[in-house]
Structures are given as C-alpha cells and as structure tokens.
Amino acid sequence: MLNAMGKAAKQASYQLSTLSTAEKNRALLAIADMLEANSQSIIQANELDMSAARESGMTEALLDRLLLTPARLFAIASDVRDVCRLSDPVGQVIDGSTQDGGLRLQRRRVPLGVVGVIYEARPNVTIDVASLCLKTGNAAILRGGKETHHTNQATVKVLQQALEQCGLPKAAIQAIDSPDRALVAEMLRLDQYIDMLIPRGGAALHKLCREQSTIPVITGGIGVCHTFVDDNVDFANALTVIENAKVQRPSACNSLETLLVHQAIAAQFLPELSARMHAVGVTLHASESAMPHLQNGPATVVAVAEEDYSDEWLSLDLNVTVVADIDAAIAHIRAYGTEHSDAILTRSISQADRFVNEVDSSAVYVNASTRFTDGGQFGLGAEVAVSTQKLHARGPMGLEALTTYKWIGYGDDLVRP
Amino acid sequence: MLNAMGKAAKQASYQLSTLSTAEKNRALLAIADMLEANSQSIIQANELDMSAARESGMTEALLDRLLLTPARLFAIASDVRDVCRLSDPVGQVIDGSTQDGGLRLQRRRVPLGVVGVIYEARPNVTIDVASLCLKTGNAAILRGGKETHHTNQATVKVLQQALEQCGLPKAAIQAIDSPDRALVAEMLRLDQYIDMLIPRGGAALHKLCREQSTIPVITGGIGVCHTFVDDNVDFANALTVIENAKVQRPSACNSLETLLVHQAIAAQFLPELSARMHAVGVTLHASESAMPHLQNGPATVVAVAEEDYSDEWLSLDLNVTVVADIDAAIAHIRAYGTEHSDAILTRSISQADRFVNEVDSSAVYVNASTRFTDGGQFGLGAEVAVSTQKLHARGPMGLEALTTYKWIGYGDDLVRP
C-alpha cells in the first residue's frame, strides 16, 4: 500500500518541481481559503479525536495540544498565507563558473522530491508541513499520531481538494491514514521514493528512525542545553538570562537544563540564584559542589543524580553544578550535552571566543538565552524542524533545508580531455 | 575496541577543530615528507599484500590497482602537498544578520568532527582521505579492504608519526586494522562518535551502509548514466561526445551506459553509431526498436535485456534504444537511472531547458559528456566521493562537504521576548 503511495508522490513531485513561485502561492492561497470554508468538517473530525482522547485518559496539556477550535484553524490558515510571502529558494543559482575546458557549470537549487514526516499529536503540523513542502515544490507523505487520526484525515481531504482545484495532483500531499504501527516500519524503508525523512517527536522516535530507516533522516529536537556563568558577570543580568532560558517555555527543546557556575563566584552567585528561582517556582538539582551554597536558600533543592545531566527536564527543574573553569565547563557540555544550544555569560572576549570555538553545538550563544534557537527568532520565516545532527542542515531548518541542488553543465558538444 | 577508537577520534577532533590553516598545512607537509622518507616500509608492506593477492588469484586489473611503486607513492605524496594549496573552508562565515531584538547571528563553517570511510582495495584512498580530513579539521576512522591490510597498516603508522611530530594527536587518523568483517557492522553503529560515514565501493557496500548504519551516510558512486540524442543534432559531433562518454574510462561511474535516440533520426543515426562504436570496440545492446537499424552495422550487437537498463556495464558495452520524444527519454531516465549524470544532445533551447528541469540527477548536461562529473573537472580541487543522494552534498564532494556549520548568537545579556 505504501509503495503505491510512494510512487504517486514521486510522480507528483516531478510536476511540483517545475511550478513557478506564483503557481505554488496560488495553491497555498487556495488551501488557506478551503481550510476556512471547510472548518466545520475538520472541527467535527477533531471532536471525534478529542472524545477518544478524553476516554483514554489523556492529560489536559495533551488534550489542549490536540484541540482545534475555529480560532485556531483560522490562525493556521493565516500561517499558510504567510508562507506565500516567504521567498522561494527553488531555482536560485548557488554558484557557477566556466571551467578551463569550456564547461559552463552552475549549481541550481531544486526541490528534494518527496519528504516524509512522522509526527505526534499536533494537528497543526499536518498543515504546516504540507504548506512548506508545497512552497518548495516537494511532495509530502505524512504520518501523524493515532490520536489525531480523524483530524488529519479530514484536513488532508481538504488540502487535496484545494490541490485539485488548482490543477495539481492530490498525491502531492498524502497521509498514511491507518493507525497501524507496522506502517511506520514500512515507511522507513521507502527509500526508493522518499528522499528525506523528518521525525518530529521524542527521543524514542528519533532513535527508531536512526536505527531502522534506509532513507536519510534528519534527527534532532532533543536539547540538553547548558549555560556557563563565568567569574566576571553582572549577577542581575545573568539571572535575567537564566530565568528566561529556563522559565519562558520549559517544555521547549531549547530551554535551559543545566547551569554551570564558575567556582570563583559560586558562594556569592548561588544564593542569589536560589532566591530568583524560588520566585519563579524552579526546583534546583544541585551537585555536591553546588549544594553548600544552595541548601540554605529559599528555592527547593535536591541532590542531582548523574543521569539527570543527560536528560531533558522539560519542566521547572534545573541542574546546578560548580565548575573549576571554562575547561571544566566545556568538558561537561561535551560529556552530557546533545549539541543543541549552549551559552556562556561572560565579559571576557577570550573566554567567549574559546566557548564559541570549542563547544560543538548547533547554536552557541554569548550573553544570550538558549531560547533563541528557533526558525522565527533566526529570521528563517518558517521552521520545518530543529536538527542536532551535522549533515544537510544544523539547528533550525527553514525552507532552504527542504531543497537540494543539481549541477548543470553546458558545453558545445564538449568532451572530457 | 572500536568504542575506544571512536572516543579517541572524537577527542582528537576537538583539537583539530581549533587549528589554523597554517598549522594544518604544516602537518600535511610533514605527512608528504614522511611518506617519501618511509616509502620503503610502505612498499615492503604492499609486497605482502601483492603476493597474498596473487595467491588468491586476483585479476591483473585489481592487482594493478593494489600495487604501490615508489613512483606512485611519490605521486601520492605530491597530491598531499597539493591539498595544502586548496582554500580551507573552515571558519568561513556563510551568512549573518542582526535580528530585530538585537541578536547578532552568524553561521560559521566548522569541521564535521569524525568522518568514517569504508573503502576497497585502493591503497591511495587511505592517504587521500586522511589528508582531506586533516585539511578540514576532521578526525578520520578508516576501514580499508582486507586486500590492502598490510599496506594500510604501514601507511597509517607513517601518517601517525607525522602527526605526532607536529604535536597533533595520532588518533586524528586511525585505521581499523583487523580484517574481521564483524567490525564493519560495529563501525556502522558508532553514531556516538562518528558524524558522517562515506562508503567508497560497489552497490553492495552502499546498500549495507544504508540499511545497517545508524550514522548519517553519504551514498553514491553508482552511475547508470544516459545520453539522449535529440532529432536536430550534428551527427559527427554527437558521436564524438558519445564516444568520449562511453570509451574514455568505461570503469568510471560517470561513463555512459544507455543511449536514447530520438525516433526521427534513428534510421540515419544508428548505422553511423554502429560504425563508430565498432571502431572503438563497443558492443551494443539494442532494444527491439533499435535493432533493425543496428543489425546490419559493423558493431557487435545483441538484444538488450530489461535488467540491463538498471545496471552499470562499467565495460565497453552500451545499451541503445529508440524513444518517441523527449518525454519518453525523461521517463526512461526516471525509471532506470540512478540520479548520477545524464545528458541531452540538442540544438533546441526549449528541449535543453526541459531536460535540465525535469531530469532529477546530481549532474545534468547539455551538449557535453557525462564524464565531466568529477571533483577535478568541476574545479573543486579534490574529491572526497560522488554523492547520488540529495542530503548534505550532491554530485562530486569537495572540501566543503567535509564541513558543517554552527549558528553563533551574540547578545548583550539578551532574552527572548
């Protein structure tokens, strides 16, 4: 079954790859209009998913993530219209040259072809991914979580109607609409048709894809993020950055998980940290070196366990440890980090340079919150995913990450000498 | 065992990543000097491999590929000196901007970290890969074919001596020196330490890596390359390009395997093709549509089998078929090609544009030989591999393909709003 889907997607991708930006934008506008016009059918389908989720005992937080309201759906349609305004990377000439023998060469940006996305219970991802793929001339095969099964089915139906209305193949956007998990394994081996696979979900999904997929995978999204506080900082400013990194949205992958404090300031800084974290409800997980300076402070403090250093809290919890110097800080980040986002707070140019050069993460910050790692904050206009691997794209992935290039060589009946 | 090797490579990569271009070039020169100074030990080791290979009944062609002579080794040392002259991509700022909130952002090119390479019986690859990795600040873990076991061992010993002489960690270049095949499977799962895996070998090796590796893999090297002869060409020129593409080096992955001829010229063109191919010893494998025009010609001609269209000949054999038009040519290439290198010979701008836009290959040529797909011909200065996948790098991979980038954000104690 997936084979036929893959074949149809590949065929559709050939047509999409030759569309002009204006043609693609017309289809995006049609999608936005039809999402609004058909909001009722999508919301009815969402109600089925919601009641099944309630029966299964889903938490309120997850239920809220699953819920589509007319307002939310109209906001998503508006996001689709925003995608029209993004510049289209397809067709850009990256570079070119004329070789000595006369070959006129250029590298031109082209769509990837077929993009596969596996995601969990977020109904907006279906439309997000579909619109970003369409904008870049890619066909998409989507596999949403079983919790959003009805919503996704109804959504994709509307997306496909819009495509057909614009004379485009409906196989450009397809969803695997059975909740059967065996289909994921099948999808992961569809390398004949799918050119890139993006898992959007937790560590287990990324691990599954990395181990099972024969399609090139973009892994990422797991962020054990650090901030190192050097011995020369303004305490009030440092605490403001730390609070932002930890508290603004603790469930995000770019939120702060472990604070590394220079030993020279630990005795003065950590009590102030305790007061500030107490005020915003953060529980501290202190190392043996940090504990003496935290145990009399107002914030709740417990002993950190070794394994806490390698896991995301994604909650109002923060590991705190004291390090001898920047070398120890960098060593800690190399040992426990996930190469997502790490920051140094310092007044020293040389320390900042060392941190930037030696910490091997997708995003490295000097005197800024780790929370900035985001396609919107980076001015990419859209975010397909956040990659923590090093091939193809690193960090927030914008539209360019949905493209590849081809070499085009022009000659005059030219042969290789 | 490989785990310790991976760990040491990762540790070495941290040191390599901070070297200046001058420091890296000094190490490259030391390597070239020491290869020459120690040529005797390497050539003695190569003699062991050669006699084992002779006993095992290796073909003359493969024996020649395995053989190292003083002249060949000095040529390789000279190639290493050439790598010094290549510009170093590491440290380049790809782009940058100041975001509205004040975040000063840049994308800086950095080494990948640790590169794994699996290759067959070519002793030069060890030195090639090591020098390109060193130039880009990457550590390398090499796994050569068992046929070159002694040669590789002796070579890596010399490379490591040169590294140590320059104060660099010898773990920067390591070889898996046991011929045990189980170690390949272990290497493929070393994702904790190896950042990119490059298989250099046949289709079976690429398939193994794609299926088993948990490390991002660059696959490629398999080229079922096509040339479509449109109905408006100069026959003599076309035949010259075809001869070059097929005959210049038939064992290369960018050599021509299937010729697609427009039906309007088949009756006139194919007899001339037969004469030309006969002159250079090419056997034609003709489709039913091509056979009537070839069977009375001088070239040896046999019926093509369906499966011949999907395989590389890598020999003086050429599939020939007649197609109704450019649509049929493109459909054939989509069905049987490997997205490596494909060419059109035509005088028509519109046909050339269609071919370039609709054939989804790493390299697409207009009026040029497919043999141009090569790092040297493309002016890349060096070639790490040829990728036929779409992520990270496509087509010939130069030094840039051995790098990734990091995002660096500077603020003034900046928080995300």
Side-chain angles (χ1 to χ4, degrees):
Chain A
M1 168 202 158
L2 290 198
N3 219 52
M5 204 174 216
K7 205 167 179 169
K10 182 58 91 178
Q11 209 57 42
S13 78
Y14 293 136
Q15 190 176 341
L16 295 179
S17 74
T18 61
L19 296 180
S20 69
T21 303
E23 287 169 312
K24 292 184 284 191
N25 285 343
R26 262 199 295 282
L28 287 168
L29 291 178
I31 284 174
D33 292 346
M34 291 201 51
L35 285 172
E36 290 174 352
N38 294 276
S39 61
Q40 221 180 346
S41 70
I42 296 173
I43 283 164
Q44 274 165 3
N46 185 249
E47 279 162 10
L48 294 177
D49 287 329
M50 287 295 290
S51 58
R54 267 189 221 100
E55 272 169 42
S56 76
M58 189 182 273
T59 64
E60 279 304 317
L62 286 177
L63 281 173
D64 184 61
R65 214 166 76 168
L66 181 58
L67 178 68
L68 270 185
T69 62
R72 286 184 180 184
L73 194 56
F74 276 64
I76 294 172
S78 159
D79 287 344
V80 174
R81 293 195 182 94
D82 287 343
V83 173
C84 292
R85 283 186 277 277
L86 297 177
S87 89
D88 182 356
V90 172
Q92 280 174 0
V93 175
I94 301 173
D95 49 27
S97 59
T98 300
Q99 297 300 311
D100 283 347
L103 186 70
R104 300 187 303 282
L105 203 60
Q106 58 172 249
R107 276 200 299 169
R108 191 188 294 176
R109 208 168 270 297
V110 297
L112 281 165
V114 180
V115 175
V117 184
I118 303 178
Y119 52 103
E120 296 175 342
R122 291 179 183 272
N124 63 309
V125 174
T126 307
I127 302 168
D128 275 5
V129 168
S131 59
L132 297 174
C133 284
L134 181 57
K135 177 79 187 196
T136 46
N138 290 291
I141 296 182
L142 308 170
R143 162 68 185 201
K146 68 176 193 307
E147 301 79 4
T148 47
H149 175 59
H150 294 100
T151 314
N152 289 345
Q153 244 183 339
T155 307
V156 170
K157 200 174 149 194
V158 172
L159 297 176
Q160 291 184 334
Q161 282 170 354
L163 289 170
E164 290 197 305
Q165 202 186 66
C166 298
L168 298 179
K170 66 181 195 175
I173 303 171
Q174 298 177 85
I176 299 177
D177 70 353
S178 151
D180 182 0
R181 288 198 66 125
L183 291 175
V184 171
E186 201 182 326
M187 181 179 179
L188 294 183
R189 301 184 70 82
L190 226 55
D191 55 81
Q192 201 188 341
Y193 301 115
I194 301 181
D195 295 288
M196 175 166 83
L197 192 74
I198 305 178
R200 288 180 52 156
L205 177 62
H206 285 267
K207 188 162 179 288
L208 176 79
C209 291
R210 187 178 278 230
E211 292 190 346
Q212 306 277 318
S213 175
T214 57
I215 305 164
V217 177
I218 297 288
T219 54
I222 314 302
V224 177
C225 302
H226 302 78
T227 295
F228 168 55
V229 187
D230 201 3
D231 61 359
N232 51 28
V233 299
D234 177 273
F235 285 8
N237 285 0
L239 291 169
T240 300
V241 175
I242 292 163
E243 180 185 322
N244 180 261
K246 178 70 255 181
V247 173
Q248 199 203 25
R249 197 169 151 217
S251 64
C253 58
N254 56 14
S255 66
L256 177 63
E257 305 293 10
T258 299
L259 189 69
L260 308 161
V261 179
H262 194 293
Q263 62 177 3
I265 57 160
Q268 292 75 48
F269 183 73
L270 290 178
E272 292 196 26
L273 177 77
S274 178
R276 185 71 164 252
M277 293 297 109
H278 173 68
V280 290
V282 171
T283 298
L284 300 175
H285 298 254
S287 70
E288 278 182 36
S289 54
M291 188 60 93
H293 310 299
L294 291 169
Q295 61 195 359
N296 298 320
T300 307
V301 57
V302 296
V304 70
E306 171 75 14
E307 60 268 27
D308 293 339
Y309 287 131
S310 335
D311 263 337
E312 295 178 286
W313 283 115
L314 301 176
S315 57
L316 290 175
D317 290 83
L318 178 66
N319 305 319
V320 184
T321 186
V322 175
V323 290
D325 52 21
I326 192 172
D327 292 289
I330 292 170
H332 181 104
I333 294 170
R334 287 177 180 169
Y336 300 102
T338 53
E339 301 183 353
H340 192 297
S341 302
D342 298 291
I344 183 173
L345 307 179
T346 186
R347 296 297 133 206
S348 157
I349 290 179
S350 68
Q351 299 295 80
D353 283 349
R354 277 204 59 197
F355 193 88
V356 160
N357 291 333
E358 298 182 29
V359 171
D360 187 22
S361 299
S362 302
V364 186
Y365 296 96
V366 176
N367 298 324
S369 166
T370 55
R371 285 277 298 132
F372 279 106
T373 307
D374 173 271
Q377 295 295 319
F378 279 12
L380 300 181
E383 182 179 287
V384 183
V386 175
S387 157
T388 55
Q389 62 168 34
K390 294 178 177 172
L391 264 60
H392 189 64
R394 205 172 184 206
M397 297 165 62
L399 289 181
E400 201 179 284
L402 290 175
T403 67
T404 181
Y405 55 82
K406 62 169 69 157
W407 297 89
I408 306 172
Y410 294 93
D412 183 16
D413 296 325
L414 203 64
V415 299
R416 179 168 169 179
Chain B
M1 168 202 157
L2 290 198
N3 219 52
M5 204 173 216
K7 205 166 179 173
K10 182 59 90 179
Q11 209 57 42
S13 78
Y14 294 136
Q15 190 176 341
L16 295 178
S17 73
T18 61
L19 296 180
S20 69
T21 303
E23 287 169 311
K24 292 184 284 192
N25 284 343
R26 262 198 296 282
L28 288 167
L29 292 177
I31 284 174
D33 292 346
M34 292 202 49
L35 285 172
E36 291 173 351
N38 294 275
S39 60
Q40 223 182 344
S41 71
I42 296 173
I43 282 164
Q44 275 165 4
N46 184 249
E47 279 163 10
L48 294 178
D49 287 330
M50 287 296 290
S51 58
R54 269 190 219 99
E55 272 170 41
S56 77
M58 190 183 270
T59 65
E60 280 303 317
L62 286 178
L63 281 173
D64 183 62
R65 214 166 75 167
L66 181 56
L67 177 70
L68 269 185
T69 61
R72 286 185 182 184
L73 193 57
F74 277 63
I76 293 172
S78 158
D79 287 344
V80 174
R81 293 195 181 95
D82 287 344
V83 173
C84 292
R85 284 186 275 277
L86 298 177
S87 88
D88 181 356
V90 171
Q92 280 175 359
V93 175
I94 301 175
D95 49 26
S97 59
T98 300
Q99 297 300 312
D100 282 346
L103 187 70
R104 300 187 304 282
L105 203 60
Q106 58 171 249
R107 275 199 301 169
R108 190 188 295 176
R109 210 169 269 296
V110 297
L112 280 166
V114 181
V115 175
V117 184
I118 302 178
Y119 52 103
E120 296 174 345
R122 291 180 184 271
N124 63 310
V125 173
T126 307
I127 303 168
D128 276 4
V129 168
S131 60
L132 297 173
C133 284
L134 181 56
K135 177 78 185 197
T136 46
N138 290 291
I141 296 182
L142 308 170
R143 162 67 185 201
K146 69 174 190 306
E147 302 79 5
T148 47
H149 175 57
H150 295 99
T151 314
N152 289 344
Q153 243 182 340
T155 307
V156 169
K157 200 175 150 195
V158 172
L159 297 176
Q160 291 185 334
Q161 282 170 353
L163 290 170
E164 290 197 306
Q165 200 184 69
C166 299
L168 297 179
K170 66 180 196 175
I173 303 170
Q174 297 177 86
I176 299 176
D177 69 353
S178 151
D180 182 0
R181 288 197 66 123
L183 291 175
V184 171
E186 201 183 326
M187 181 179 179
L188 295 183
R189 300 184 72 81
L190 226 55
D191 55 80
Q192 200 188 342
Y193 302 114
I194 301 181
D195 296 289
M196 175 166 85
L197 193 74
I198 306 178
R200 287 180 54 156
L205 176 63
H206 285 267
K207 186 161 181 284
L208 176 80
C209 290
R210 187 178 278 232
E211 292 189 347
Q212 305 278 318
S213 175
T214 57
I215 305 163
V217 178
I218 297 289
T219 54
I222 313 302
V224 176
C225 303
H226 301 78
T227 295
F228 168 55
V229 187
D230 201 5
D231 62 0
N232 51 27
V233 299
D234 177 273
F235 284 9
N237 284 0
L239 290 170
T240 300
V241 175
I242 292 163
E243 180 185 323
N244 181 261
K246 178 70 255 181
V247 173
Q248 199 203 26
R249 195 168 153 218
S251 64
C253 58
N254 56 15
S255 67
L256 176 65
E257 305 294 10
T258 299
L259 189 70
L260 306 161
V261 178
H262 194 294
Q263 63 177 1
I265 56 161
Q268 292 74 47
F269 184 73
L270 290 177
E272 293 196 26
L273 176 77
S274 178
R276 186 71 165 251
M277 293 298 109
H278 174 67
V280 290
V282 172
T283 298
L284 300 176
H285 298 256
S287 70
E288 279 183 34
S289 55
M291 189 59 93
H293 310 298
L294 291 169
Q295 61 196 357
N296 298 322
T300 307
V301 58
V302 295
V304 70
E306 170 75 13
E307 60 268 27
D308 294 339
Y309 287 131
S310 335
D311 264 335
E312 294 178 286
W313 284 116
L314 302 176
S315 56
L316 290 175
D317 291 84
L318 179 65
N319 305 318
V320 184
T321 186
V322 174
V323 290
D325 52 21
I326 192 172
D327 292 290
I330 293 170
H332 181 104
I333 294 170
R334 287 178 178 167
Y336 299 103
T338 53
E339 301 184 355
H340 191 297
S341 301
D342 297 292
I344 184 173
L345 306 180
T346 186
R347 298 294 133 208
S348 157
I349 290 179
S350 69
Q351 299 294 81
D353 283 349
R354 276 203 59 196
F355 192 87
V356 160
N357 292 334
E358 297 182 29
V359 171
D360 186 22
S361 299
S362 302
V364 187
Y365 296 96
V366 176
N367 299 323
S369 165
T370 55
R371 285 278 297 132
F372 279 105
T373 307
D374 173 89
Q377 296 295 320
F378 280 13
L380 300 181
E383 183 179 288
V384 183
V386 176
S387 158
T388 54
Q389 61 167 34
K390 294 179 179 172
L391 263 62
H392 189 63
R394 205 173 184 205
M397 296 166 62
L399 290 181
E400 201 179 285
L402 290 175
T403 67
T404 180
Y405 55 83
K406 63 169 70 156
W407 297 88
I408 305 172
Y410 295 92
D412 184 16
D413 297 324
L414 203 64
V415 299
R416 178 166 170 181

